[in-house]
Amino acid sequence: MPLAAVLAAVLPAFLLAAEPQPRPSEEHAAELYQRGEYEACRAECVRALQRNLYGEDWPLLKARAELARGRYRAAHATVEEGLKRYSWSIRLRRLAIITSRFTGREELAARYRNEILELAERYTWRYTDSDNLVALGWTMLESGTDAAEVLERYFQRAQKSYPKSPVGFVAAAELALRKSDDSLASEIVTAARREFPDDTELLHLRARIAARSDRKHFAATAADVLRHNPNHVPTLRLLAQDAIDREQYGTAREHLERALQTNPLDPDCWALLAVLAELQNDPRGAAICRDRALSRWTRNPRVDHLIGRKLSQKYRFAEGAAAQQRALELDPHFVPARIQLAEDLLRLGDEERGWQLAEDAFAQDRYDLTAFNLLELHDRLQRFATIGDEHFLVRMDRGEADVYGSEVLELLNRARSVLAEKYGVQPAEPVIVEIFSDPDDFAVRTFGLPGASGYLGVCFGRVITANSPLAHRDTPANWHSVLWHEYAHVITLQATANRIPRWFSEGISVYEERQADSRWGMRMNAAHRRRILEQGVPPISELSSLFLTARSGADVAFAYYVSSLAVEFLIERHGPASVRAVLNDLRDGLPVEVALNRRMAPPAELDTHFAEFARWRAAAYAPDADWSVPDLAALLNDDGDALQTWLQQHPNNVAALKAATRQALDNDDAATARKYAERLIRLVPEDTDSPDNGYRLLARATRLAGDAAAERAVLEQWAQRGDAPVEPLRKLLEDALPQLDPAARRTIGDDDTPQVPQHLTALARQTAVWAARLRQVDPMLPIVHRSAAAAALLLNDRPAAVRALQALTHLQPEDPAEVHYALAWLLQTTDRAAARRHVLLALEQAPRFRAALRLLRQIHREAGPADARAGRAESTRR
Ligand SMILES: [Zn+2]
């Protein structure tokens, strides 16, 4: 029985009526507010105010509880009433600024702000506690004080002087987050957590930081806030945003509806509902939601800023930019909208306006890291080389452009001619392609902030950014396939006006990589196989989620692979024309499930068939291999030959074969190692990438046996199958070069067609292919160009030799004089000016280089007197 009922049962009625209510306590009221019991909190405040209890916290807390419920008029009245008694309060005035705006009295907001500044100036001594320092800090910031100064003089001072109050920490972290300084925000919140483990605002800030940089822990941190305060509207909004990012629009709506139960007028909730409507092609609904968001504070720039930011995150940059422009019309001083607009325009390829806005934003706010980083990048981009034609504008590091810039352009044009036709798209051009050798530059250009890693390239529709091969030498990737993938995004993004789900866009890009070259793109491997056979594939509608909820590199790889498998399934079952039709429907604004249903089959049916297709594909991978994992430690530790015996009974067990090969290699038993490695390759010929794949093990075994021919054969096989097989290709080229080089050098200076022994011609042909393939992975390796040049000279392929030698001149060759002389000799009949330039460069390196002197004389003789004078003029200018 509850206590009140017990009392009612035993006490006379008059005693009950007189039972005194406990005196309202500020701590209790604040606690109720923290827990999200806003009505109870308000009631407590009302009781206190009725009793005339002293303290500005009572009206403050009452107004905050009313604001949390969207009762703006009541809150405004509370604040004004409070100010009658506490006329000196700047904290009440801070709230009054908000309540004035939300009750259509914008002009009052400015008045309250000026009053705060006056009071603070007149009675400095009065406002030095943490709450007042924070209130003052925000006011100073809004009045144009530098953010760094506000942080130090107000918020950090509040932190240091009042370490027992969380407000200084909350304000400092909030400001850092607003300025994109996530690491500072995280530092502050972590430090404060020990002291205030239950503070809702600090918990919420933690969730916000996680939402931006630590997706793995976001769900847990958000749940933590809601455990403390189930009605915490900002956290529910954060969850909605996360669901929008994962394309889980139904879930997003649920979170928002729950938040609106607490505050039916919350502008950010309505802004997010507008985003949902926009994403579901309901412009009328979007307009209604936006109106609702602006119904109380009509010039609130945050509404359009938020709408635009979410649309941009969905790659809807044009609509996003329009929203930022609306935000700036409502409030021209709202810097976040200006920065976001700058980024949007840069992603749309409208560079001139984009950079100008970044500069304007920085002039307005020198603490904002995004603007600062963008301007730093802009300076560095000035030093990049720009190459291009009518379809592409490529910017890259000068040193790299000299070596493989023209190949980039060729590849992009090839992708364009294949993909634009295939999908029937006339892309807006020129497409801008920026290739960065510094991963931080790539990250700033792509995400606005340095530090993001793991991306090879990103495409925004008309702008592609990519990391250069130099940026990820330790994890080699094929840059041809990377750019092909990104260009496929250009096509699908433009085909749909950027209205394409993530899985579909990535799926098509990876699929098109494989179509262009069967070695490119993600392929089935042991990990994908196991995942599909053990857990199946998710429904198509959940594929996009995989990208955001990935907890490891393997998860991300699976997201890409399984998306590409879904596309492959759709194309195989329903034909490329229906995929194009779906893209057109998406452009017209149809949700993807509707388009798939219309052009292919109902979603449930597609899901069932896709699951079968994936299972079948997985089962077809290395069908004879036994993937079970035996207790290898026990087998290996056995003194006898337990592993060998076990293998006799399980001859196709992959894990045991690898272990046995390694064991044999360690024991210098080449014959046994070879036997097992060969069996591994037979069982899983597709595996070229895992650390102890059959090829690598067999190469070691053949080397151990001293069988050079067999080693070369396996390296060739390995190189032939891999997507970025740097290891075998390098080895093959390093072995071939000493064989080719002497004969290749002899061809220079000899005007007759070279007489090359047959075995060298065959090797030269293969070398040319290997060099071209390694150039697709690491074009800045000198061996690539040296071996390509030697092969081309022996094959009498002069254009290829010139190209390779020219690349080599930019890679600090050991023998620059010889390289320039060879170029001069090759170019003497086709480009005499270039030939003369190179021969002079050779002589500059080696003034007594006889053959070069002879060649120079010969060039001058053939050029005649006029040309020769020009030559001398050039040589003296140097
Ligand atoms: Zn992609």
Side-chain angles (χ1 to χ4, degrees), residues 587-634:
R587 181 191 192 96
D588 293 341
L590 255 60
V592 67
E593 60 278 6
V594 176
L596 289 174
N597 189 12
R598 200 167 142 203
R599 306 294 185 174
M600 296 175 182
E605 197 180 313
L606 285 178
D607 286 342
T608 316
H609 290 159
F610 173 47
E612 283 164 12
F613 176 84
R615 206 164 264 287
W616 173 70
R617 274 301 177 82
Y621 178 78
D624 297 326
D626 166 6
W627 294 98
S628 62
V629 183
D631 183 1
L632 283 174

Coordinates of all heavy atoms in Angstrom, one line a residue, residues 587-634:
R587 N 15.3 9.6 -60.5 CA 15.5 11.0 -60.9 C 14.1 11.7 -60.8 O 14.1 12.9 -60.3 CB 16.0 11.1 -62.3 CG 16.2 12.5 -62.8 CD 16.4 12.6 -64.2 NE 16.8 14.0 -64.4 CZ 18.1 14.4 -64.5 NH1 19.1 13.5 -64.5 NH2 18.4 15.6 -64.6
D588 N 13.1 11.0 -61.1 CA 11.7 11.6 -61.1 C 11.2 11.7 -59.6 O 10.1 12.2 -59.4 CB 10.7 10.8 -61.9 CG 11.1 11.0 -63.4 OD1 11.8 11.9 -63.7 OD2 10.7 10.1 -64.2
G589 N 12.0 11.2 -58.7 CA 11.6 11.3 -57.3 C 10.9 10.1 -56.7 O 10.5 10.2 -55.5
L590 N 10.8 9.0 -57.4 CA 10.2 7.8 -56.8 C 11.1 7.2 -55.8 O 12.3 7.1 -56.0 CB 10.0 6.8 -57.9 CG 8.5 6.6 -58.4 CD1 8.0 7.9 -59.0 CD2 8.4 5.5 -59.4
P591 N 10.6 6.8 -54.7 CA 11.4 6.0 -53.7 C 11.9 4.7 -54.4 O 11.2 4.2 -55.2 CB 10.4 5.7 -52.6 CG 9.3 6.6 -52.8 CD 9.2 6.9 -54.2
V592 N 13.1 4.3 -53.9 CA 13.7 3.2 -54.6 C 12.9 1.9 -54.6 O 12.8 1.2 -55.6 CB 15.2 3.0 -54.1 CG1 15.1 2.5 -52.7 CG2 15.9 2.0 -55.0
E593 N 12.2 1.7 -53.4 CA 11.4 0.4 -53.4 C 10.3 0.5 -54.4 O 9.9 -0.6 -55.0 CB 10.9 0.1 -51.9 CG 10.0 1.2 -51.3 CD 10.8 2.4 -50.7 OE1 12.0 2.5 -50.9 OE2 10.1 3.2 -50.0
V594 N 9.7 1.7 -54.6 CA 8.6 1.8 -55.6 C 9.2 1.5 -57.0 O 8.6 0.8 -57.8 CB 8.0 3.2 -55.5 CG1 6.9 3.3 -56.6 CG2 7.4 3.4 -54.1
A595 N 10.3 2.1 -57.3 CA 10.9 2.0 -58.6 C 11.3 0.5 -58.9 O 11.0 0.0 -60.0 CB 12.2 2.9 -58.7
L596 N 11.9 -0.1 -57.9 CA 12.3 -1.5 -58.1 C 11.0 -2.4 -58.3 O 11.0 -3.3 -59.2 CB 13.0 -2.1 -56.8 CG 14.4 -1.5 -56.6 CD1 15.0 -2.0 -55.3 CD2 15.4 -1.9 -57.8
N597 N 10.0 -2.1 -57.5 CA 8.7 -2.8 -57.7 C 8.2 -2.7 -59.1 O 7.7 -3.6 -59.7 CB 7.8 -2.3 -56.6 CG 6.5 -3.2 -56.5 OD1 6.5 -4.3 -57.1 ND2 5.5 -2.7 -55.9
R598 N 8.2 -1.4 -59.6 CA 7.6 -1.1 -60.8 C 8.4 -1.7 -62.0 O 7.8 -2.2 -63.0 CB 7.7 0.4 -60.9 CG 6.7 1.0 -61.9 CD 6.6 2.5 -61.7 NE 6.5 3.1 -63.0 CZ 6.8 4.3 -63.3 NH1 7.3 5.1 -62.3 NH2 6.7 4.8 -64.5
R599 N 9.7 -1.6 -61.9 CA 10.5 -2.1 -63.0 C 11.0 -3.5 -62.9 O 11.5 -4.1 -63.9 CB 11.8 -1.2 -63.2 CG 11.5 0.3 -63.2 CD 10.7 0.6 -64.5 NE 10.5 2.1 -64.6 CZ 10.0 2.6 -65.7 NH1 9.7 1.9 -66.7 NH2 9.9 3.9 -65.7
M600 N 11.0 -4.1 -61.8 CA 11.5 -5.4 -61.6 C 10.5 -6.4 -60.9 O 9.9 -7.2 -61.5 CB 12.8 -5.4 -60.8 CG 13.9 -4.6 -61.6 SD 15.4 -4.4 -60.7 CE 16.4 -3.4 -61.9
A601 N 10.4 -6.3 -59.6 CA 9.6 -7.2 -58.8 C 9.3 -6.6 -57.5 O 10.0 -5.7 -57.0 CB 10.3 -8.6 -58.7
P602 N 8.3 -7.1 -56.7 CA 8.1 -6.6 -55.4 C 9.3 -6.8 -54.5 O 10.0 -7.8 -54.7 CB 6.9 -7.5 -54.9 CG 6.3 -8.0 -56.1 CD 7.4 -8.1 -57.1
P603 N 9.5 -5.9 -53.6 CA 10.7 -6.0 -52.7 C 10.9 -7.3 -52.1 O 12.0 -7.9 -52.0 CB 10.5 -4.9 -51.7 CG 9.6 -3.9 -52.4 CD 8.7 -4.7 -53.3
A604 N 9.8 -7.9 -51.5 CA 10.0 -9.2 -50.8 C 10.5 -10.3 -51.7 O 11.4 -11.1 -51.4 CB 8.7 -9.6 -50.2
E605 N 10.0 -10.2 -53.0 CA 10.4 -11.2 -53.9 C 11.9 -11.0 -54.3 O 12.6 -12.0 -54.4 CB 9.5 -11.1 -55.2 CG 9.5 -12.3 -56.1 CD 8.6 -12.0 -57.3 OE1 7.4 -11.6 -57.1 OE2 9.0 -12.2 -58.4
L606 N 12.2 -9.8 -54.5 CA 13.6 -9.5 -54.9 C 14.5 -9.9 -53.8 O 15.6 -10.5 -54.0 CB 13.8 -7.9 -55.1 CG 13.3 -7.4 -56.4 CD1 13.5 -5.8 -56.4 CD2 14.0 -8.0 -57.6
D607 N 14.1 -9.7 -52.5 CA 15.0 -10.0 -51.4 C 15.2 -11.6 -51.3 O 16.3 -12.0 -51.1 CB 14.3 -9.6 -50.1 CG 14.5 -8.1 -49.9 OD1 15.4 -7.5 -50.6 OD2 13.8 -7.5 -49.1
T608 N 14.1 -12.3 -51.5 CA 14.2 -13.8 -51.5 C 15.2 -14.2 -52.6 O 16.1 -15.0 -52.4 CB 12.8 -14.4 -51.7 OG1 11.9 -13.7 -50.9 CG2 12.9 -15.9 -51.4
H609 N 15.0 -13.7 -53.8 CA 15.8 -14.2 -54.9 C 17.2 -13.7 -54.8 O 18.2 -14.4 -55.1 CB 15.2 -13.7 -56.2 CG 13.9 -14.4 -56.6 ND1 13.0 -13.9 -57.4 CD2 13.4 -15.6 -56.1 CE1 12.0 -14.8 -57.5 NE2 12.2 -15.8 -56.7
F610 N 17.4 -12.5 -54.2 CA 18.8 -12.0 -54.0 C 19.5 -12.9 -53.0 O 20.7 -13.3 -53.2 CB 18.7 -10.6 -53.6 CG 20.1 -10.1 -53.2 CD1 21.2 -10.3 -54.0 CD2 20.3 -9.3 -52.0 CE1 22.5 -9.8 -53.7 CE2 21.6 -8.8 -51.7 CZ 22.6 -9.1 -52.5
A611 N 18.8 -13.3 -52.0 CA 19.4 -14.1 -50.9 C 19.8 -15.5 -51.6 O 21.0 -15.9 -51.3 CB 18.4 -14.4 -49.8
E612 N 19.0 -16.0 -52.4 CA 19.4 -17.3 -53.1 C 20.6 -17.1 -54.0 O 21.5 -17.9 -54.0 CB 18.2 -17.8 -54.0 CG 17.1 -18.4 -53.2 CD 15.8 -18.5 -54.1 OE1 15.9 -18.3 -55.3 OE2 14.8 -18.8 -53.5
F613 N 20.5 -16.0 -54.8 CA 21.6 -15.7 -55.7 C 22.9 -15.5 -54.9 O 24.0 -16.1 -55.3 CB 21.3 -14.4 -56.4 CG 22.3 -13.8 -57.3 CD1 22.4 -14.3 -58.7 CD2 23.2 -12.8 -56.9 CE1 23.3 -13.8 -59.5 CE2 24.2 -12.3 -57.8 CZ 24.2 -12.8 -59.1
A614 N 22.9 -14.8 -53.8 CA 24.1 -14.6 -53.1 C 24.7 -15.9 -52.5 O 25.9 -16.2 -52.5 CB 23.9 -13.6 -51.9
R615 N 23.8 -16.7 -52.0 CA 24.1 -18.0 -51.4 C 24.8 -18.9 -52.5 O 25.8 -19.5 -52.2 CB 22.8 -18.6 -50.9 CG 23.0 -19.6 -49.8 CD 21.7 -19.9 -49.1 NE 21.5 -19.0 -47.9 CZ 22.2 -19.2 -46.8 NH1 23.0 -20.2 -46.7 NH2 22.0 -18.4 -45.8
W616 N 24.2 -18.8 -53.6 CA 24.7 -19.6 -54.7 C 26.1 -19.2 -55.1 O 27.0 -20.0 -55.3 CB 23.7 -19.5 -55.9 CG 24.1 -20.2 -57.2 CD1 24.3 -21.5 -57.4 CD2 24.5 -19.5 -58.4 NE1 24.7 -21.7 -58.7 CE2 24.8 -20.5 -59.3 CE3 24.6 -18.1 -58.7 CZ2 25.3 -20.1 -60.6 CZ3 25.0 -17.8 -60.0 CH2 25.3 -18.8 -60.9
R617 N 26.3 -17.8 -55.2 CA 27.6 -17.3 -55.5 C 28.6 -17.7 -54.5 O 29.8 -18.0 -54.8 CB 27.5 -15.8 -55.6 CG 27.1 -15.3 -56.9 CD 28.0 -15.7 -58.0 NE 27.6 -15.3 -59.3 CZ 27.8 -14.1 -59.8 NH1 28.5 -13.2 -59.1 NH2 27.4 -13.8 -61.0
A618 N 28.2 -17.6 -53.2 CA 29.1 -17.9 -52.1 C 29.5 -19.4 -52.2 O 30.7 -19.7 -52.0 CB 28.5 -17.5 -50.8
A619 N 28.5 -20.2 -52.5 CA 28.8 -21.6 -52.5 C 29.7 -22.0 -53.6 O 30.5 -23.0 -53.6 CB 27.5 -22.4 -52.5
A620 N 29.6 -21.2 -54.7 CA 30.4 -21.5 -55.9 C 31.9 -21.1 -55.8 O 32.7 -21.4 -56.6 CB 29.8 -20.8 -57.1
Y621 N 32.2 -20.4 -54.7 CA 33.6 -19.9 -54.5 C 34.4 -21.1 -53.9 O 34.0 -21.6 -52.9 CB 33.6 -18.7 -53.5 CG 34.9 -18.2 -53.2 CD1 35.6 -17.4 -54.1 CD2 35.5 -18.5 -52.0 CE1 36.9 -16.9 -53.8 CE2 36.8 -18.0 -51.6 CZ 37.5 -17.2 -52.6 OH 38.7 -16.8 -52.3
A622 N 35.5 -21.4 -54.6 CA 36.3 -22.5 -54.1 C 35.5 -23.7 -53.6 O 35.6 -24.1 -52.5 CB 37.3 -22.0 -53.0
P623 N 34.7 -24.3 -54.5 CA 33.8 -25.3 -54.1 C 34.4 -26.5 -53.5 O 33.8 -27.2 -52.6 CB 33.0 -25.6 -55.3 CG 33.9 -25.3 -56.5 CD 34.7 -24.1 -56.0
D624 N 35.6 -26.8 -53.8 CA 36.2 -28.1 -53.3 C 37.0 -27.8 -52.0 O 37.5 -28.8 -51.4 CB 37.1 -28.7 -54.3 CG 36.3 -29.1 -55.6 OD1 35.2 -29.5 -55.4 OD2 36.9 -29.0 -56.7
A625 N 37.1 -26.5 -51.7 CA 37.9 -26.2 -50.5 C 37.2 -26.6 -49.2 O 35.9 -26.5 -49.1 CB 38.3 -24.8 -50.5
D626 N 37.9 -27.0 -48.2 CA 37.3 -27.3 -46.9 C 37.7 -26.2 -46.0 O 38.9 -26.0 -45.7 CB 37.9 -28.7 -46.4 CG 37.7 -28.9 -44.9 OD1 36.9 -28.1 -44.3 OD2 38.2 -29.9 -44.4
W627 N 36.7 -25.4 -45.5 CA 37.0 -24.2 -44.8 C 37.0 -24.3 -43.3 O 37.1 -23.4 -42.6 CB 36.0 -23.1 -45.2 CG 36.2 -22.6 -46.7 CD1 35.5 -23.1 -47.7 CD2 37.2 -21.7 -47.2 NE1 35.9 -22.5 -48.9 CE2 37.0 -21.7 -48.6 CE3 38.2 -21.0 -46.6 CZ2 37.8 -20.9 -49.4 CZ3 39.0 -20.2 -47.5 CH2 38.8 -20.2 -48.8
S628 N 36.7 -25.5 -42.9 CA 36.7 -25.7 -41.4 C 38.0 -25.4 -40.8 O 39.1 -25.5 -41.5 CB 36.2 -27.1 -41.1 OG 37.2 -28.0 -41.6
V629 N 38.0 -25.0 -39.5 CA 39.3 -24.6 -38.9 C 39.7 -25.6 -37.8 O 39.1 -25.7 -36.8 CB 39.2 -23.2 -38.3 CG1 40.5 -22.8 -37.7 CG2 38.7 -22.2 -39.3
P630 N 40.7 -26.5 -38.1 CA 41.1 -27.5 -37.1 C 41.9 -26.8 -36.0 O 42.3 -25.6 -36.1 CB 42.0 -28.4 -37.9 CG 42.5 -27.5 -39.0 CD 41.5 -26.5 -39.3
D631 N 42.1 -27.6 -34.9 CA 43.0 -27.1 -33.8 C 44.4 -27.1 -34.3 O 45.1 -28.1 -34.0 CB 42.7 -27.9 -32.6 CG 43.5 -27.4 -31.4 OD1 44.2 -26.4 -31.6 OD2 43.4 -28.0 -30.3
L632 N 44.8 -26.1 -35.0 CA 46.2 -26.1 -35.6 C 47.3 -26.1 -34.6 O 48.3 -26.8 -34.7 CB 46.3 -24.8 -36.5 CG 45.6 -24.9 -37.8 CD1 45.7 -23.6 -38.5 CD2 46.2 -26.0 -38.7
A633 N 47.1 -25.4 -33.4 CA 48.1 -25.4 -32.4 C 48.5 -26.8 -32.0 O 49.7 -27.1 -31.9 CB 47.7 -24.5 -31.2
A634 N 47.4 -27.6 -31.7 CA 47.7 -29.0 -31.3 C 48.4 -29.8 -32.4 O 49.4 -30.5 -32.1 CB 46.4 -29.6 -30.9

